[in-house]
Amino acid sequence: MDLIIYYSRTENTKKVSESIAKQKNAKLIEIKDKKSRSGVLGYAMGALDSVRGKKTDIIYEKVNLSEYDTIYLGTPVWASKPTPAILQFIDENDFNNTTVVTFATMMGSGGESTVKSMNDKIKAKGGLIKHSFSLALKGNDIEQLVSDALKNE
Ligand SMILES: Cc1cc2nc3c(=O)[nH]c(=O)nc-3n(C[C@H](O)[C@H](O)[C@H](O)COP(=O)(O)O)c2cc1C
């Protein structure tokens, strides 16, 4: 069975994750950031924390990642980087014997540097990166974008 794990502030990454879960018949786990990221202040602090590569306290259902066939790990792009919540997740989990697909959602730029940063950290923790993609969401059809992205695996 595959597993989708994601953080989402405004539901774009959540919708993409739900779409992957549907298409892969996979289990879905959402990571919650204990720090409030709502409103203008949440946005500003989020950007600042991401630029600094900061981590944060998170809440999620803990599982043994190596029990799944493929782990899909998704984040929004924040200032061309992964979110603090995803950095924290990578930091506190064991990726030995895992195969990982990383993905990011964004307005329009920074997806490549975001997934590269995730991939470097996951590889350093023993994970194998199978595929990565980033999706620019501008009212596009998420189901179609996800289905196209998964075709390239
Ligand atoms: C703090 C912050 C920084 C962002 N920086 C970028 C960026 O560098 N490039 C980009 O294309 N979008 C950026 N965005 C937009 C989000 O990446 C985009 O809306 C994403 O799909 C949101 O995902 P979510 O709804 O799952 O939170 C940023 C959003 C926030 C809150």
Side-chain angles (χ1 to χ4, degrees), residues 12-13 16 75-78 103-107 133-137:
N12 287 342
T13 314
V16 168
T75 182
V77 173
W78 282 7
F103 66 98
T105 73
M106 59 186 173
M107 292 269 281
F133 62 90
S134 48
L135 302 178
L137 303 176

Side-chain angles (χ1 to χ4, degrees), residues 111-123:
E112 270 190 33
S113 53
T114 298
V115 292
K116 185 183 183 309
S117 165
M118 290 165 81
N119 293 354
D120 289 346
K121 292 176 202 305
I122 291 165
K123 281 189 249 175

Side-chain angles (χ1 to χ4, degrees), residues 84-150:
I86 284 295
L87 290 184
Q88 180 65 36
F89 178 84
I90 295 170
D91 205 52
E92 65 185 43
N93 277 275
D94 182 3
F95 284 86
N96 283 307
N97 301 312
T98 64
T99 300
V100 184
V101 173
T102 51
F103 66 98
T105 73
M106 59 186 173
M107 292 269 281
S109 68
E112 270 190 33
S113 53
T114 298
V115 292
K116 185 183 183 309
S117 165
M118 290 165 81
N119 293 354
D120 289 346
K121 292 176 202 305
I122 291 165
K123 281 189 249 175
K125 297 203 70 186
L128 177 81
I129 303 295
K130 180 179 166 190
H131 179 56
S132 297
F133 62 90
S134 48
L135 302 178
L137 303 176
K138 293 172 190 153
N140 292 311
D141 182 352
I142 287 181
E143 297 273 324
Q144 188 58 47
L145 284 175
V146 168
S147 147
D148 290 346
L150 296 179

